[in-house]
Amino acid sequence: MSGAAEKIVPQNPSITPELVADHGLNAEEYQRLLDILGREPSMTELGIFSVMWSEHCSYKSSKFWLKKLPTEGPHVIQGPGENAGVVDLGDGQAAIFKMESHNHPSFIEPYQGAATGVGGIMRDVFTMGARPIANMNALRFGAPDHPKSRHLVSGVVAGIGDYGNCIGVPTVGGETNFDAGYNTNILVNAMCVGLADTDKIFYSAAKGVGHPVVYVGSKTGRDGIHGATMASAEFDDDSADKRPTVQVGDPFTEKLLVEACLELMREDAIIAIQDMGAAGLTSSSVEMADKGGVGISLDLDSVPQRESAMTAYEMMLSESQERMLIVLKPDAKDKAEAIFRKWGLDFAVIGETTGTGRLIVRHRGVIEVDIPVGELADSAPEYQRPYVLTEPPALLSPEEIPAPRRLSAALLTLIGSQHLCSRRWIWEQYDHMVMADTVQRPGGDAAVVRIHGTRKGLAITTDVTPRYCLADPEMGGRQAVAETWRNLTAVGATPLAITDCLNFGNPERPEIMGQFAGAIEGIAAACRALAYPVVSGNVSLYNETNGIAIPPTPAIGGIGLIPDIAQMMTLAFKAEGEVILLIGAERGHLGQSLYLDVHFGRRDGAPPPVDLEHERATGDFVRDCIRKGAVTSVHDCSDGGLYVAIAEMALAGNIGANLTLPEHHPAHAILFGEDQGRYVVTVTAGKADTLCAEAADLNLDIRVAGHTGGHELTLDGQDPISLQALKTAHDDWLPQYMSIR
Amino acid sequence: MKASVLVFPGSNCDRDVAISLEAATDRPPAMVWHGLTEVPESDLIVLPGGFSYGDYLRSGCMAAHSPIMRDVVKKAKAGTPVLGICNGFQMLTETGLLPGVLMRNASLKFICKDVTLKVERNDTIFTNRYGRGKLVTIPIAHADGNYFADDDTLAKLEDEDRVAFRYCAADGSTAPDANPNGSRNNIAGIYDATGKILGLMPHPERLADIELGGTDGNPLFSSLMEALH
């Protein structure tokens, strides 16, 4: 390759400071670019630096803090840094999982934004050799009375459903919040869990020179250009104009891509594989080359194209969906091509790995890009942004918070509120049973899918309580991790590891950076104390509009293992006449509780403290009880407190209960306090004493909280409320809300 | 019993139904790729659920025109039993092997949940292990399950006793409340005139294992084993 045509194209348009600023690069970053290249960039090169150094791709504001997270453990096969995290499940199998945000596109175009979020996270998982076996999602919408909320709920849920349903991977659960803090920045966090053989895990390092670089999947179009850049900026009133940056999903192609990739992975053909996600062809080729320590040359004329006359700039920055880049072993090309042709997918050799260490991109006979890979990938700026930690509010004592007129009426209001009502309207639109391994469906503490062909179960949950995080990010971070750990424990699983999806506002504001720093410290502390490392994750910053940021929302996705699904636990009351026990310390903490919010419109005080030693001791005890068959139902106490937890167990089992109230505390604090690290369990009548003695031996708090039976809930025999009334309130809120036009 | 499960691009319940068939018959079914032109000699052909060809154009429509389908129609007309589940039912109406059409659900939404079904007949190869009129719980998972046929066709189906399953309430009544998708006469599944072709929207393969919460789907597979072994 030589000759006159091999020159960098003349600059047209010329690179002006405005153009640089439009690409999200500041003056210092642009100078760094000039130093690396030793000349002005071409338009395509500017675009490539812009996306690679965007917050979304480079983690430039968060990298420093992310290093504080514990990422190692005896069962961790791969921690953060690859497409997804990998955890050993024993018997030669591994779980591969990650959670990722698709917030900015979902606000602009909820259906496609959410759908492509699901598609993207699934590609991250099957890229590594795993068959996706379960999807989850963590959603935050604005206040119910915000004019856009219904439209966004409807579009996001349909988008998630249509994508996962078509591919045939069950969407087994998740969580949904409604809060005014998300009015103009909704959060759509999608998680995927896959299953792989430990000796068939694929990585993204393109080691070796002269190997073919192969493009498979959909054709490249002009959609999603600048998606990564958009996701690295805040919104203003003109955000809707960004709709063309949203990608369009095609789950059918993704289904074909899953099958074709997994079929190819059974052959000895792949050196490295990477999906084309954010920043498309650019980030996939640069990351593979960088990790493999090689150069890469691409010929864009060979790229399958959906539209005519695309420029190099457009092709390198397109975020068209359902595409993968593979570095093949040289003798595997024919075999690979036959597989992709069989599945009706495009297959094109578009380049090769080289010994130059440079990314060289040719288009129509000219070199459009010539950048050193290592510096492009590794010299991204890294900021230690100034931060101001959030001052934690003072504790509220229960005496400062009024009692309701009637306790049962307060329960009814809570359970029929947008915060605690049934999410059935959402998950019935998701195929949660396909693959015929869903052994615990949505609605429980954690979803459980059977590991196909075995007796083992994989429990999955996502959690965070944004109002706690807003009041005290450090405690909120702890609580989010602890709650996932608790939910996995409640179904009988041994928690293994987490993925984190960290959603925050503009990191250039010190108070937002302080929220981020606090949350990281909290997450790290909880992970260490619970031996529950972070193996993958994603950071989404700039979730703010016109200077108003979302509440800090570090969503945590946790997975755990149940050795035999015969030992799996559910929250439904199983029989009348059983004893209800409350395990864990009871303090009546009402600060930042839903009771305070829903009944008094107050969000004050400190969130409930999370004592990690107590958390672990209590959870380990409950898990032992489940494994021994000593308990008949288990539910953790979370939003809404003990009364709500018992009501949920009663509704699930269609069996009522009489609750026993201790004398030394105000009843409303006992019933609605959100003290952490607590579980409600039931035991058959004769077994309560033994269990209480065992707990006491371990210095754990335990007390009789009531007895099951009847068709209503009563408090020491008083203040009855029927299950039917609770069920109606619980079931009806969401369908009624969504039926209003 | 030798069964063949067809696999179209976008099928996603092929593995699930193969597991149920193998459990009932002690032998794995043949998995037959859509691009072939002939189904191997089989006692039963199964068209599985999923989103064949992405459900583009219309659910089941493109599958009905795929190369393998000509042979399925030929063999079905010659008497080979055919079971179409969900997307497979949609293919059967698209090929004309069964009458009527499956429209978008009345709610316009995808619905995944357990439903109660009434087994209308127990004298067919698909239902001989069920009690007549028995109520069973089987899940649905579809966006296009709203069965429609014109009045004459519907009258003919009813007169000839060709309704296989009907959506009903816990007490067996076929009230509108118990109809999840708007299907006429609460129809969940129908037979052809010979009783050898069954199309149904619910997924019996999803509740054929006690670990999944129920086994009401099992008798359908054991009925076939009984009749066709």
Side-chain angles (χ1 to χ4, degrees):
Chain A
M1 292 278 194
S2 64
E6 290 280 271
K7 284 196 297 271
I8 297 291
V9 274
Q11 304 309 306
N12 190 18
S14 58
I15 306 296
T16 61
E18 291 74 30
L19 198 58
V20 171
D22 284 349
H23 280 76
L25 295 172
N26 64 27
E28 185 195 330
E29 290 166 350
Y30 185 63
Q31 186 55 51
R32 189 181 296 212
L33 178 163
L34 292 175
D35 293 346
I36 289 171
L37 287 184
R39 57 173 166 78
E40 256 198 3
S42 71
M43 187 63 192
T44 308
E45 288 171 332
L46 178 65
I48 285 173
F49 275 98
S50 157
V51 290
M52 287 304 295
W53 289 3
S54 69
E55 188 67 59
H56 189 83
C57 291
S58 74
Y59 294 87
K60 59 191 170 190
S61 302
S62 57
K63 217 185 246 176
F64 170 80
W65 290 97
L66 296 176
K67 288 174 191 155
K68 293 176 179 279
L69 295 171
T71 58
E72 288 173 0
H75 46 269
V76 175
I77 295 176
Q78 174 67 51
E82 272 291 337
N83 284 297
V86 185
V87 169
D88 198 345
L89 298 175
D91 306 315
Q93 289 183 302
I96 299 188
F97 70 106
K98 186 179 176 184
M99 179 155 45
E100 199 163 72
S101 60
H102 229 216
N103 305 335
H104 291 74
S106 299
F107 181 73
I108 294 171
E109 210 305 287
Y111 181 89
Q112 291 296 346
T116 54
V118 174
I121 195 63
M122 283 205 272
R123 281 195 298 287
D124 278 338
V125 164
F126 72 75
T127 296
M128 296 194 72
R131 177 172 286 281
I133 58 169
N135 286 330
M136 299 279 284
N137 52 77
L139 311 176
R140 324 283 157 191
F141 297 106
D145 60 0
H146 188 272
K148 281 194 94 166
S149 290
R150 250 181 220 95
H151 158 72
L152 291 169
V153 173
S154 159
V156 165
V157 170
I160 290 172
D162 284 359
Y163 208 99
N165 298 347
C166 179
I167 293 196
V169 174
T171 303
V172 292
E175 53 167 348
T176 307
N177 287 154
F178 293 91
D179 187 290
Y182 304 103
N183 276 355
T184 49
N185 290 90
I186 64 167
L187 303 184
V188 173
N189 297 170
M191 175 172 170
C192 179
V193 185
L195 186 67
D197 291 338
T198 45
D199 60 354
K200 284 270 181 203
I201 295 169
F202 291 85
Y203 298 96
S204 55
K207 293 199 182 84
V209 169
H211 299 313
V213 175
V214 172
Y215 171 117
V216 297
S218 288
K219 295 187 194 320
T220 295
R222 289 189 169 95
D223 55 327
I225 293 171
H226 287 165
T229 313
M230 171 184 77
S232 307
E234 45 197 289
F235 283 158
D236 54 28
D237 294 332
D238 301 325
S239 313
D241 297 347
K242 295 188 173 173
R243 191 166 306 172
T245 60
V246 177
Q247 311 85 337
V248 178
D250 175 8
F252 174 58
T253 301
E254 178 120 329
K255 166 71 175 168
L256 303 179
L257 200 54
V258 177
E259 298 302 336
C261 286
L262 292 178
E263 193 170 324
L264 180 62
M265 285 164 170
R266 287 196 285 271
E267 311 282 343
D268 183 27
I270 297 173
I271 293 171
I273 178 165
Q274 171 96 20
D275 81 299
M276 293 191 225
L281 193 50
T282 294
S283 104
S284 53
S285 56
V286 170
E287 281 176 28
M288 284 167 88
D290 179 50
K291 284 184 183 154
V294 297
I296 195 163
S297 72
L298 301 176
D299 177 6
L300 295 184
D301 298 313
S302 307
V303 169
Q305 292 161 53
R306 197 168 65 212
E307 300 174 59
S308 58
M310 288 184 71
T311 64
Y313 179 92
E314 289 168 328
M315 275 191 265
M316 290 306 287
L317 268 56
S318 163
E319 291 189 7
S320 289
Q321 299 290 290
E322 294 93 23
R323 302 178 301 159
M324 311 280 269
L325 205 59
I326 306 175
V327 176
L328 281 177
K329 295 187 175 166
D331 56 353
K333 186 186 151 284
D334 293 347
K335 197 160 45 181
E337 182 161 7
I339 290 171
F340 283 90
R341 296 278 178 238
K342 172 189 151 190
W343 287 98
L345 293 166
D346 271 306
F347 177 101
V349 177
I350 63 164
E352 62 173 9
T353 56
T354 67
T356 64
R358 301 182 79 84
L359 169 68
I360 311 249
V361 178
R362 292 183 175 82
H363 187 218
R364 296 186 182 140
V366 292
I367 293 182
E368 293 275 359
V369 175
D370 183 354
I371 305 175
V373 167
E375 278 150 298
L376 173 60
D378 303 329
S379 300
E382 188 179 324
Y383 296 119
Q384 279 188 46
R385 296 198 186 274
Y387 65 96
V388 179
L389 291 175
T390 308
E391 189 67 37
L395 286 169
L396 288 182
S397 77
E399 288 72 29
E400 292 175 69
I401 296 154
R405 262 187 300 225
R406 227 182 110 200
L407 291 160
S408 65
L411 170 68
L412 188 67
T413 307
L414 270 180
I415 213 157
S417 71
Q418 73 263 28
H419 308 289
L420 291 175
C421 68
S422 166
R423 270 49 175 154
R424 178 180 293 273
W425 184 91
I426 294 172
W427 51 256
E428 276 189 354
Q429 293 185 55
Y430 304 150
D431 189 338
H432 48 272
M433 304 181 212
V434 64
M435 298 184 91
D437 281 312
T438 307
V439 291
Q440 186 154 166
R441 297 182 186 179
D445 282 324
V448 183
V449 291
R450 180 170 54 188
I451 296 174
H452 192 69
T454 75
R455 297 285 310 163
K456 296 194 288 187
L458 200 59
I460 314 165
T461 183
T462 67
D463 295 285
V464 63
T465 311
R467 64 182 190 282
Y468 295 171
C469 297
L470 184 61
D472 181 348
E474 200 269 331
M475 199 54 83
R478 272 184 190 219
Q479 195 273 342
V481 174
E483 190 172 350
T484 63
W485 192 85
R486 210 179 295 150
N487 279 324
L488 297 172
T489 297
V491 298
T494 305
L496 293 176
I498 63 169
T499 178
D500 56 7
C501 190
L502 307 171
N503 309 275
F504 289 81
N506 179 349
E508 295 162 43
R509 294 204 286 136
E511 66 275 24
I512 299 292
M513 209 53 222
Q515 291 175 343
F516 188 82
I520 290 283
E521 296 289 3
I523 292 168
C527 288
R528 274 192 301 271
L530 301 171
Y532 187 43
V534 180
V535 296
S536 60
N538 159 250
V539 179
S540 173
L541 302 174
Y542 296 96
N543 290 288
E544 60 179 76
T545 299
N546 294 332
I548 314 259
I550 57 159
T553 312
I556 306 294
I559 67 163
L561 187 64
I562 303 177
D564 184 341
I565 49 172
Q567 296 170 334
M568 181 185 79
M569 189 46 60
T570 63
L571 60 81
F573 282 155
K574 302 298 184 302
E576 306 227 345
E578 296 198 333
V579 182
I580 305 169
L581 299 171
L582 174 65
I583 306 175
E586 193 172 33
R587 313 244 181 268
H589 185 105
L590 284 168
Q592 298 295 339
S593 66
L594 274 185
Y595 171 78
L596 201 56
D597 183 10
V598 169
H599 290 286
F600 304 99
R602 281 172 59 183
R603 287 194 179 177
D604 53 343
V610 179
D611 175 341
L612 293 165
E613 213 174 304
H614 168 265
E615 185 76 50
R616 185 157 186 182
T618 312
D620 287 347
F621 176 70
V622 169
R623 195 178 316 105
D624 282 348
C625 292
I626 295 172
R627 298 266 167 92
K628 284 191 301 195
V631 291
T632 54
S633 63
V634 176
H635 189 18
D636 78 311
C637 268
S638 56
D639 275 343
L642 175 67
Y643 206 3
V644 165
I646 288 179
E648 288 169 345
M649 297 170 87
L651 289 176
N654 197 25
I655 295 171
N658 178 35
L659 281 65
T660 310
L661 295 172
E663 285 170 9
H664 52 280
H665 271 301
H668 66 287
I670 288 300
L671 290 172
F672 299 113
E674 295 181 3
D675 311 316
Q676 298 294 298
R678 296 185 303 159
Y679 299 81
V680 181
V681 308
T682 52
V683 294
T684 51
K687 285 193 179 166
D689 290 346
T690 318
L691 203 77
C692 289
E694 285 173 6
D697 282 348
L698 296 166
N699 287 322
L700 297 174
D701 289 5
I702 188 165
R703 75 167 174 94
V704 173
H707 293 80
T708 64
H711 295 290
E712 51 190 27
L713 293 185
T714 50
L715 301 170
D716 288 327
Q718 307 293 309
D719 196 6
I721 182 155
S722 74
L723 292 189
Q724 192 52 51
L726 288 169
K727 181 175 161 50
T728 303
H730 188 242
D731 287 354
D732 285 359
W733 189 89
L734 194 50
Q736 276 179 4
Y737 170 70
M738 290 307 297
S739 69
I740 300 166
R741 306 229 172 252
Chain B
M1 181 180 88
K2 216 167 109 186
S4 291
V5 176
L6 268 55
V7 183
F8 299 89
S11 292
N12 63 31
C13 302
D14 43 331
R15 185 187 81 173
D16 304 352
V17 77
I19 289 167
S20 293
L21 284 164
E22 186 173 352
T25 63
D26 274 336
R27 64 190 281 184
M31 306 305 279
V32 182
W33 182 241
H34 76 116
L36 302 177
T37 50
E38 206 174 327
V39 184
E41 267 323 305
S42 318
D43 303 312
L44 172 73
I45 297 172
V46 179
L47 306 175
F51 288 71
S52 56
Y53 302 92
D55 271 359
Y56 290 132
L57 191 55
R58 236 182 8 250
S59 304
C61 177
M62 287 170 69
H65 292 88
S66 77
I68 195 82
M69 226 41 186
R70 272 180 227 119
D71 192 49
V72 172
V73 173
K74 194 172 110 194
K75 286 195 163 69
K77 286 185 173 161
T80 302
V82 180
L83 169 64
I85 301 170
C86 197
N87 197 217
F89 186 12
Q90 293 158 345
M91 292 174 207
L92 288 172
T93 58
E94 287 289 341
T95 54
L97 285 171
L98 291 175
V101 64
L102 291 146
M103 304 194 305
R104 183 55 44 112
N105 294 342
S107 66
L108 305 181
K109 290 185 167 54
F110 188 96
I111 305 168
C112 177
K113 66 174 183 183
D114 286 346
V115 295
T116 307
L117 299 176
K118 190 174 188 178
V119 184
E120 293 285 351
R121 288 173 61 179
N122 69 346
D123 59 346
T124 74
I125 57 170
F126 300 96
T127 55
N128 56 67
R129 290 291 188 93
Y130 286 108
R132 183 182 166 88
K134 186 176 161 52
L135 302 184
V136 296
T137 301
I138 293 186
I140 54 168
H142 59 246
D144 299 319
N146 179 356
Y147 184 76
F148 180 84
D150 60 44
D151 292 343
D152 292 345
T153 308
L154 209 58
K156 194 163 184 271
L157 282 174
E158 296 286 0
D159 289 348
E160 293 174 3
D161 216 4
R162 284 166 55 191
V163 176
F165 301 97
R166 245 185 263 273
Y167 303 110
C168 66
D171 63 357
S173 65
T174 49
D177 274 5
N179 186 338
N181 53 24
S183 292
R184 292 199 77 181
N185 293 15
N186 284 36
I187 286 174
I190 56 170
Y191 298 107
D192 76 328
T194 68
K196 285 190 161 181
I197 302 175
L198 168 65
L200 77 168
M201 289 313 296
H203 287 270
E205 76 278 15
R206 291 192 183 183
L207 270 187
D209 176 350
I210 192 64
E211 305 284 8
L212 299 176
T215 54
D216 281 358
N218 259 338
L220 188 130
F221 300 103
S222 49
S223 296
L224 286 163
M225 180 63 183
E226 173 79 19
L228 304 176
H229 73 273

